[in-house]
Amino acid sequence: MKISTFSRHLREGTRNVVRNGWMTFASISSIAISLFILGIFVLITLNVNDIASQIEDQVEINVYLEVNTPQDQITELQTQIQGLQGVKTIKFVSKEEGLVYLRQKLGESGKALLDGFEGENNPLNDAFTVEVDDPRNVAVVADQISALNADKDPKPIYKVNYGKGTVEALFKVTQIVRWVGFGIVILLSFTAVFLIANTIKITILARRKEISIMKMVGATNSFIRWPFFIEGALLGFVGSIIPAVVILGGYWKLLNLSSLNLNLLMIELTPFGKIAPTMIALLLGIGIVIGIWGSLISVRKFLRV
């Protein structure tokens, strides 16, 4: 295609967007509203998946040691656990460190309960905190650690705890949440496509005479299609920019609210810098593609003259 011809199509497509006032407004509004609803659910789904991953990553194994376990046996056990398949990191937590952590966790109201437990009166056990490379393998790794106790005398491991039962239920819930969110987004995507495409069809239907006349005077199909191609792309672009700006602007304010504090839950919302490119690419991509697709599909039926 010649540059001059493309420039003509670009001018014509842009002029059509401006000239068709209310129909253009209706198309852009339909795209914006549909993509706004879709974008909100995508935003929620991305955050739910991120939070679910954070919760899963917090799953760890606590290996409590018997009181007065010799240091050489502790070192040997640590080496053996580190060598197990699926173990990512292992950290030794002395009973003194455990007491400090417990005081921090209980806060001011619980400190009085722990007075007098320093030194020899400390009732806690030394322990290992084990992090696995895949949270879903936590039960398998815990069983492997427990098995290390079998051939040792005296046995160094008092108890292996990873929240059995609770962890399995957690994984089931997070999986269900992910699939439900994915299903809602897919359903809304099809709904948005239907609404937007039909609105654009109505827009072009109002100009069927113009298309028929161009066809009768000898204009080729591609010559007729190109302005509508550009017009659909512009409608989709403008209609997707609006919800993208509104959603991301609202999300930015949400992240900066002083009252929004999830630190106590050890979770956080997806950072703006991570979610913004995904949302922009998704909304712009869907908007432009649907705008073009709706225009071309609608024009096709009027080219059979």
Side-chain angles (χ1 to χ4, degrees):
M1 180 186 296
K2 294 181 180 179
I3 296 178
S4 58
T5 304
F6 180 77
S7 298
R8 181 266 172 196
H9 292 328
L10 184 61
R11 288 194 304 272
E12 186 65 21
T14 305
R15 189 181 299 120
N16 287 340
V17 170
V18 177
R19 184 175 57 189
N20 293 302
W22 283 108
M23 296 306 295
T24 295
F25 176 77
S27 298
I28 291 177
S29 298
S30 175
I31 294 172
I33 293 171
S34 300
L35 292 185
F36 178 80
I37 297 172
L38 175 62
I40 289 294
F41 275 91
V42 169
L43 187 68
I44 293 172
T45 301
L46 291 174
N47 271 279
V48 167
N49 286 336
D50 209 20
I51 291 172
S53 297
Q54 292 175 44
I55 294 173
E56 290 176 352
D57 289 340
Q58 291 175 27
V59 174
E60 58 186 19
I61 303 170
N62 293 311
V63 182
Y64 298 101
L65 305 177
E66 293 284 1
V67 178
N68 299 323
T69 300
Q71 182 59 48
D72 59 339
Q73 199 171 23
I74 293 176
T75 303
E76 179 188 0
L77 182 62
Q78 182 171 359
T79 302
Q80 289 178 323
I81 294 175
Q82 183 67 70
L84 292 175
Q85 184 176 1
V87 172
K88 184 178 180 181
T89 61
I90 178 171
K91 178 184 177 183
F92 177 73
V93 181
S94 67
K95 59 183 183 180
E96 289 78 18
E97 291 173 326
L99 185 64
V100 171
Y101 172 77
L102 189 58
R103 279 178 171 159
Q104 291 174 346
K105 189 173 182 180
L106 292 175
E108 293 295 329
S109 59
K111 284 185 178 181
L113 298 174
L114 301 176
D115 285 343
F117 287 109
E118 295 83 0
E120 294 182 358
N121 295 325
N122 190 332
L124 303 179
N125 299 68
D126 292 331
F128 291 120
T129 299
V130 180
E131 183 181 350
V132 295
D133 53 11
D134 184 352
R136 298 184 182 279
N137 292 332
V138 65
V140 175
V141 176
D143 289 341
Q144 292 176 343
I145 294 173
S146 297
L148 297 175
N149 222 20
D151 59 347
K152 291 183 172 58
D153 188 26
K155 299 185 183 301
I157 299 177
Y158 168 67
K159 183 171 66 173
V160 177
N161 180 36
Y162 67 93
K164 186 176 182 179
T166 303
V167 168
E168 285 81 0
L170 171 66
F171 289 150
K172 287 181 181 178
V173 170
T174 55
Q175 188 66 22
I176 290 172
V177 168
R178 285 190 174 109
W179 279 110
V180 169
F182 179 74
I184 291 175
V185 168
I186 293 297
L187 180 62
L188 286 174
S189 297
F190 281 111
T191 304
V193 169
F194 177 79
L195 291 175
I196 294 168
N198 276 280
T199 303
I200 293 175
K201 284 179 182 179
I202 294 172
T203 302
I204 296 176
L205 183 65
R207 294 155 61 193
R208 60 187 181 277
K209 277 189 176 181
E210 174 187 342
I211 298 171
S212 299
I213 292 172
M214 292 177 67
K215 183 68 176 175
M216 288 178 179
V217 297
T220 63
N221 289 346
S222 61
F223 187 86
I224 297 172
R225 283 193 185 103
W226 264 100
F228 288 100
F229 178 92
I230 293 170
E231 183 180 347
L234 289 173
L235 292 175
F237 177 77
V238 176
S240 57
I241 279 288
I242 295 171
V245 170
V246 173
I247 290 172
L248 291 176
Y251 189 66
W252 173 263
K253 290 185 177 181
L254 181 65
L255 289 176
N256 288 279
L257 281 178
S258 58
S259 58
L260 185 66
N261 188 354
L262 301 177
N263 291 334
L264 293 177
L265 300 177
M266 301 299 289
I267 59 175
E268 57 182 16
L269 295 177
T270 306
F272 185 84
K274 180 180 177 181
I275 212 164
T278 302
M279 292 296 298
I280 291 173
L282 181 68
L283 294 179
L284 288 183
I286 292 176
I288 292 173
V289 168
I290 291 177
I292 293 172
W293 176 78
S295 295
L296 294 182
I297 293 298
S298 302
V299 169
R300 187 173 58 183
K301 68 177 295 185
F302 299 116
L303 294 178
R304 304 191 188 101
V305 177

mmCIF file of all heavy atoms in Angstrom, residues 254-285:
data_model
loop_
_atom_site.group_PDB
_atom_site.id
_atom_site.type_symbol
_atom_site.label_atom_id
_atom_site.label_comp_id
_atom_site.label_asym_id
_atom_site.label_seq_id
_atom_site.Cartn_x
_atom_site.Cartn_y
_atom_site.Cartn_z
ATOM 1 N N LEU A 254 -5.191 3.117 46.497
ATOM 2 C CA LEU A 254 -5.444 2.034 47.436
ATOM 3 C C LEU A 254 -4.154 1.557 48.093
ATOM 4 O O LEU A 254 -4.108 1.327 49.302
ATOM 5 C CB LEU A 254 -6.124 0.866 46.706
ATOM 6 C CG LEU A 254 -6.483 -0.356 47.552
ATOM 7 C CD1 LEU A 254 -7.541 -0.010 48.589
ATOM 8 C CD2 LEU A 254 -6.964 -1.499 46.664
ATOM 9 N N LEU A 255 -3.105 1.434 47.291
ATOM 10 C CA LEU A 255 -1.820 0.975 47.823
ATOM 11 C C LEU A 255 -1.218 1.978 48.802
ATOM 12 O O LEU A 255 -0.453 1.590 49.696
ATOM 13 C CB LEU A 255 -0.835 0.732 46.682
ATOM 14 C CG LEU A 255 -1.099 -0.473 45.781
ATOM 15 C CD1 LEU A 255 -0.096 -0.507 44.638
ATOM 16 C CD2 LEU A 255 -1.024 -1.767 46.572
ATOM 17 N N ASN A 256 -1.570 3.261 48.616
ATOM 18 C CA ASN A 256 -0.963 4.301 49.447
ATOM 19 C C ASN A 256 -1.840 4.730 50.621
ATOM 20 O O ASN A 256 -1.488 5.669 51.337
ATOM 21 C CB ASN A 256 -0.633 5.529 48.584
ATOM 22 C CG ASN A 256 0.531 5.280 47.655
ATOM 23 O OD1 ASN A 256 1.687 5.356 48.047
ATOM 24 N ND2 ASN A 256 0.239 4.954 46.410
ATOM 25 N N LEU A 257 -2.960 4.049 50.807
ATOM 26 C CA LEU A 257 -3.801 4.374 51.953
ATOM 27 C C LEU A 257 -3.085 4.000 53.248
ATOM 28 O O LEU A 257 -2.611 2.889 53.413
ATOM 29 C CB LEU A 257 -5.134 3.611 51.868
ATOM 30 C CG LEU A 257 -6.203 4.170 50.923
ATOM 31 C CD1 LEU A 257 -7.416 3.265 50.922
ATOM 32 C CD2 LEU A 257 -6.613 5.573 51.348
ATOM 33 N N SER A 258 -3.015 4.938 54.164
ATOM 34 C CA SER A 258 -2.344 4.652 55.438
ATOM 35 C C SER A 258 -3.094 3.626 56.262
ATOM 36 O O SER A 258 -2.516 2.928 57.095
ATOM 37 C CB SER A 258 -2.197 5.955 56.253
ATOM 38 O OG SER A 258 -3.477 6.539 56.487
ATOM 39 N N SER A 259 -4.411 3.526 56.024
ATOM 40 C CA SER A 259 -5.206 2.588 56.809
ATOM 41 C C SER A 259 -5.091 1.162 56.286
ATOM 42 O O SER A 259 -5.509 0.216 56.949
ATOM 43 C CB SER A 259 -6.686 2.995 56.767
ATOM 44 O OG SER A 259 -7.161 3.039 55.433
ATOM 45 N N LEU A 260 -4.522 1.007 55.080
ATOM 46 C CA LEU A 260 -4.386 -0.324 54.507
ATOM 47 C C LEU A 260 -3.075 -0.935 54.984
ATOM 48 O O LEU A 260 -2.016 -0.634 54.477
ATOM 49 C CB LEU A 260 -4.391 -0.247 52.981
ATOM 50 C CG LEU A 260 -4.384 -1.581 52.233
ATOM 51 C CD1 LEU A 260 -5.683 -2.330 52.489
ATOM 52 C CD2 LEU A 260 -4.174 -1.375 50.759
ATOM 53 N N ASN A 261 -3.163 -1.778 55.980
ATOM 54 C CA ASN A 261 -1.953 -2.363 56.563
ATOM 55 C C ASN A 261 -2.151 -3.860 56.719
ATOM 56 O O ASN A 261 -2.842 -4.315 57.620
ATOM 57 C CB ASN A 261 -1.655 -1.716 57.914
ATOM 58 C CG ASN A 261 -0.307 -2.149 58.471
ATOM 59 O OD1 ASN A 261 0.355 -3.006 57.902
ATOM 60 N ND2 ASN A 261 0.087 -1.544 59.566
ATOM 61 N N LEU A 262 -1.548 -4.582 55.826
ATOM 62 C CA LEU A 262 -1.671 -6.042 55.877
ATOM 63 C C LEU A 262 -0.400 -6.696 56.414
ATOM 64 O O LEU A 262 -0.248 -7.905 56.347
ATOM 65 C CB LEU A 262 -1.955 -6.585 54.464
ATOM 66 C CG LEU A 262 -3.226 -6.057 53.798
ATOM 67 C CD1 LEU A 262 -3.340 -6.617 52.390
ATOM 68 C CD2 LEU A 262 -4.453 -6.407 54.616
ATOM 69 N N ASN A 263 0.509 -5.883 56.950
ATOM 70 C CA ASN A 263 1.785 -6.430 57.411
ATOM 71 C C ASN A 263 1.613 -7.454 58.519
ATOM 72 O O ASN A 263 2.376 -8.404 58.626
ATOM 73 C CB ASN A 263 2.703 -5.294 57.894
ATOM 74 C CG ASN A 263 3.173 -4.424 56.742
ATOM 75 O OD1 ASN A 263 3.236 -4.891 55.614
ATOM 76 N ND2 ASN A 263 3.473 -3.174 57.026
ATOM 77 N N LEU A 264 0.597 -7.246 59.375
ATOM 78 C CA LEU A 264 0.376 -8.177 60.469
ATOM 79 C C LEU A 264 -0.014 -9.551 59.943
ATOM 80 O O LEU A 264 0.200 -10.563 60.607
ATOM 81 C CB LEU A 264 -0.711 -7.637 61.410
ATOM 82 C CG LEU A 264 -0.344 -6.376 62.192
ATOM 83 C CD1 LEU A 264 -1.530 -5.917 63.034
ATOM 84 C CD2 LEU A 264 0.868 -6.607 63.076
ATOM 85 N N LEU A 265 -0.592 -9.580 58.751
ATOM 86 C CA LEU A 265 -0.977 -10.849 58.139
ATOM 87 C C LEU A 265 0.158 -11.426 57.298
ATOM 88 O O LEU A 265 0.014 -12.504 56.720
ATOM 89 C CB LEU A 265 -2.210 -10.647 57.254
ATOM 90 C CG LEU A 265 -3.462 -10.116 57.958
ATOM 91 C CD1 LEU A 265 -4.567 -9.895 56.928
ATOM 92 C CD2 LEU A 265 -3.927 -11.073 59.044
ATOM 93 N N MET A 266 1.291 -10.711 57.235
ATOM 94 C CA MET A 266 2.453 -11.142 56.474
ATOM 95 C C MET A 266 2.137 -11.289 54.981
ATOM 96 O O MET A 266 2.714 -12.120 54.290
ATOM 97 C CB MET A 266 2.998 -12.462 57.036
ATOM 98 C CG MET A 266 3.416 -12.394 58.493
ATOM 99 S SD MET A 266 4.751 -11.197 58.774
ATOM 100 C CE MET A 266 6.114 -12.052 57.990
ATOM 101 N N ILE A 267 1.190 -10.497 54.491
ATOM 102 C CA ILE A 267 0.871 -10.502 53.068
ATOM 103 C C ILE A 267 0.803 -9.060 52.586
ATOM 104 O O ILE A 267 0.663 -8.128 53.373
ATOM 105 C CB ILE A 267 -0.468 -11.219 52.766
ATOM 106 C CG1 ILE A 267 -1.628 -10.527 53.510
ATOM 107 C CG2 ILE A 267 -0.399 -12.684 53.109
ATOM 108 C CD1 ILE A 267 -2.986 -11.094 53.180
ATOM 109 N N GLU A 268 0.918 -8.876 51.294
ATOM 110 C CA GLU A 268 0.828 -7.529 50.737
ATOM 111 C C GLU A 268 0.199 -7.608 49.349
ATOM 112 O O GLU A 268 0.259 -8.642 48.675
ATOM 113 C CB GLU A 268 2.208 -6.881 50.654
ATOM 114 C CG GLU A 268 3.203 -7.666 49.844
ATOM 115 C CD GLU A 268 4.588 -7.025 49.815
ATOM 116 O OE1 GLU A 268 4.844 -6.151 50.662
ATOM 117 O OE2 GLU A 268 5.368 -7.400 48.930
ATOM 118 N N LEU A 269 -0.424 -6.498 48.940
ATOM 119 C CA LEU A 269 -1.014 -6.441 47.615
ATOM 120 C C LEU A 269 0.088 -6.412 46.563
ATOM 121 O O LEU A 269 1.222 -6.023 46.834
ATOM 122 C CB LEU A 269 -1.901 -5.199 47.487
ATOM 123 C CG LEU A 269 -3.145 -5.163 48.384
ATOM 124 C CD1 LEU A 269 -3.874 -3.837 48.208
ATOM 125 C CD2 LEU A 269 -4.084 -6.326 48.086
ATOM 126 N N THR A 270 -0.264 -6.822 45.361
ATOM 127 C CA THR A 270 0.706 -6.840 44.268
ATOM 128 C C THR A 270 1.216 -5.425 44.012
ATOM 129 O O THR A 270 0.423 -4.492 43.896
ATOM 130 C CB THR A 270 0.052 -7.385 42.988
ATOM 131 O OG1 THR A 270 -0.537 -8.655 43.272
ATOM 132 C CG2 THR A 270 1.081 -7.541 41.888
ATOM 133 N N PRO A 271 2.538 -5.224 43.945
ATOM 134 C CA PRO A 271 3.094 -3.880 43.720
ATOM 135 C C PRO A 271 2.578 -3.257 42.422
ATOM 136 O O PRO A 271 2.314 -3.965 41.441
ATOM 137 C CB PRO A 271 4.608 -4.137 43.644
ATOM 138 C CG PRO A 271 4.821 -5.419 44.372
ATOM 139 C CD PRO A 271 3.589 -6.236 44.127
ATOM 140 N N PHE A 272 2.445 -1.923 42.442
ATOM 141 C CA PHE A 272 1.923 -1.198 41.285
ATOM 142 C C PHE A 272 2.786 -1.433 40.047
ATOM 143 O O PHE A 272 2.268 -1.640 38.943
ATOM 144 C CB PHE A 272 1.859 0.301 41.597
ATOM 145 C CG PHE A 272 1.227 1.123 40.510
ATOM 146 C CD1 PHE A 272 -0.151 1.254 40.433
ATOM 147 C CD2 PHE A 272 2.011 1.755 39.551
ATOM 148 C CE1 PHE A 272 -0.743 2.001 39.419
ATOM 149 C CE2 PHE A 272 1.423 2.507 38.544
ATOM 150 C CZ PHE A 272 0.051 2.638 38.487
ATOM 151 N N GLY A 273 4.104 -1.395 40.225
ATOM 152 C CA GLY A 273 5.020 -1.569 39.099
ATOM 153 C C GLY A 273 4.919 -2.934 38.446
ATOM 154 O O GLY A 273 5.260 -3.095 37.271
ATOM 155 N N LYS A 274 4.437 -3.911 39.189
ATOM 156 C CA LYS A 274 4.286 -5.263 38.649
ATOM 157 C C LYS A 274 2.959 -5.436 37.937
ATOM 158 O O LYS A 274 2.875 -6.126 36.904
ATOM 159 C CB LYS A 274 4.411 -6.289 39.778
ATOM 160 C CG LYS A 274 4.264 -7.736 39.338
ATOM 161 C CD LYS A 274 4.397 -8.678 40.528
ATOM 162 C CE LYS A 274 4.177 -10.132 40.109
ATOM 163 N NZ LYS A 274 4.275 -11.056 41.270
ATOM 164 N N ILE A 275 1.920 -4.799 38.473
ATOM 165 C CA ILE A 275 0.580 -5.036 37.938
ATOM 166 C C ILE A 275 0.222 -4.069 36.809
ATOM 167 O O ILE A 275 -0.577 -4.416 35.935
ATOM 168 C CB ILE A 275 -0.465 -4.941 39.072
ATOM 169 C CG1 ILE A 275 -1.632 -5.887 38.795
ATOM 170 C CG2 ILE A 275 -0.979 -3.527 39.290
ATOM 171 C CD1 ILE A 275 -2.509 -6.147 39.991
ATOM 172 N N ALA A 276 0.800 -2.859 36.802
ATOM 173 C CA ALA A 276 0.445 -1.850 35.801
ATOM 174 C C ALA A 276 0.725 -2.307 34.370
ATOM 175 O O ALA A 276 -0.157 -2.191 33.505
ATOM 176 C CB ALA A 276 1.156 -0.529 36.101
ATOM 177 N N PRO A 277 1.925 -2.823 34.043
ATOM 178 C CA PRO A 277 2.172 -3.254 32.653
ATOM 179 C C PRO A 277 1.210 -4.343 32.194
ATOM 180 O O PRO A 277 0.759 -4.328 31.043
ATOM 181 C CB PRO A 277 3.617 -3.776 32.699
ATOM 182 C CG PRO A 277 4.227 -3.110 33.888
ATOM 183 C CD PRO A 277 3.132 -2.980 34.885
ATOM 184 N N THR A 278 0.885 -5.279 33.096
ATOM 185 C CA THR A 278 -0.039 -6.357 32.743
ATOM 186 C C THR A 278 -1.422 -5.810 32.425
ATOM 187 O O THR A 278 -2.043 -6.186 31.418
ATOM 188 C CB THR A 278 -0.142 -7.370 33.900
ATOM 189 O OG1 THR A 278 1.151 -7.893 34.181
ATOM 190 C CG2 THR A 278 -1.081 -8.511 33.546
ATOM 191 N N MET A 279 -1.919 -4.911 33.288
ATOM 192 C CA MET A 279 -3.251 -4.349 33.090
ATOM 193 C C MET A 279 -3.321 -3.504 31.814
ATOM 194 O O MET A 279 -4.280 -3.599 31.042
ATOM 195 C CB MET A 279 -3.642 -3.498 34.299
ATOM 196 C CG MET A 279 -3.870 -4.281 35.583
ATOM 197 S SD MET A 279 -5.277 -5.406 35.455
ATOM 198 C CE MET A 279 -6.608 -4.266 35.158
ATOM 199 N N ILE A 280 -2.305 -2.669 31.585
ATOM 200 C CA ILE A 280 -2.296 -1.805 30.405
ATOM 201 C C ILE A 280 -2.268 -2.648 29.125
ATOM 202 O O ILE A 280 -3.043 -2.426 28.192
ATOM 203 C CB ILE A 280 -1.099 -0.838 30.440
ATOM 204 C CG1 ILE A 280 -1.286 0.190 31.569
ATOM 205 C CG2 ILE A 280 -0.936 -0.117 29.103
ATOM 206 C CD1 ILE A 280 -0.089 1.074 31.802
ATOM 207 N N ALA A 281 -1.349 -3.626 29.094
ATOM 208 C CA ALA A 281 -1.228 -4.473 27.902
ATOM 209 C C ALA A 281 -2.512 -5.259 27.655
ATOM 210 O O ALA A 281 -2.976 -5.381 26.513
ATOM 211 C CB ALA A 281 -0.045 -5.433 28.067
ATOM 212 N N LEU A 282 -3.117 -5.768 28.731
ATOM 213 C CA LEU A 282 -4.329 -6.577 28.598
ATOM 214 C C LEU A 282 -5.499 -5.741 28.084
ATOM 215 O O LEU A 282 -6.164 -6.111 27.103
ATOM 216 C CB LEU A 282 -4.679 -7.209 29.942
ATOM 217 C CG LEU A 282 -5.916 -8.100 29.964
ATOM 218 C CD1 LEU A 282 -5.663 -9.354 29.152
ATOM 219 C CD2 LEU A 282 -6.296 -8.470 31.394
ATOM 220 N N LEU A 283 -5.760 -4.602 28.741
ATOM 221 C CA LEU A 283 -6.909 -3.777 28.365
ATOM 222 C C LEU A 283 -6.744 -3.160 26.978
ATOM 223 O O LEU A 283 -7.677 -3.168 26.170
ATOM 224 C CB LEU A 283 -7.141 -2.691 29.414
ATOM 225 C CG LEU A 283 -7.566 -3.194 30.809
ATOM 226 C CD1 LEU A 283 -7.742 -2.023 31.764
ATOM 227 C CD2 LEU A 283 -8.853 -4.003 30.728
ATOM 228 N N LEU A 284 -5.554 -2.635 26.686
ATOM 229 C CA LEU A 284 -5.325 -2.045 25.362
ATOM 230 C C LEU A 284 -5.410 -3.119 24.280
ATOM 231 O O LEU A 284 -6.003 -2.897 23.214
ATOM 232 C CB LEU A 284 -3.965 -1.360 25.308
ATOM 233 C CG LEU A 284 -3.816 -0.042 26.075
ATOM 234 C CD1 LEU A 284 -2.430 0.544 25.866
ATOM 235 C CD2 LEU A 284 -4.870 0.958 25.637
ATOM 236 N N GLY A 285 -4.804 -4.272 24.563
ATOM 237 C CA GLY A 285 -4.824 -5.353 23.580
ATOM 238 C C GLY A 285 -6.240 -5.805 23.267
ATOM 239 O O GLY A 285 -6.633 -5.914 22.095
#
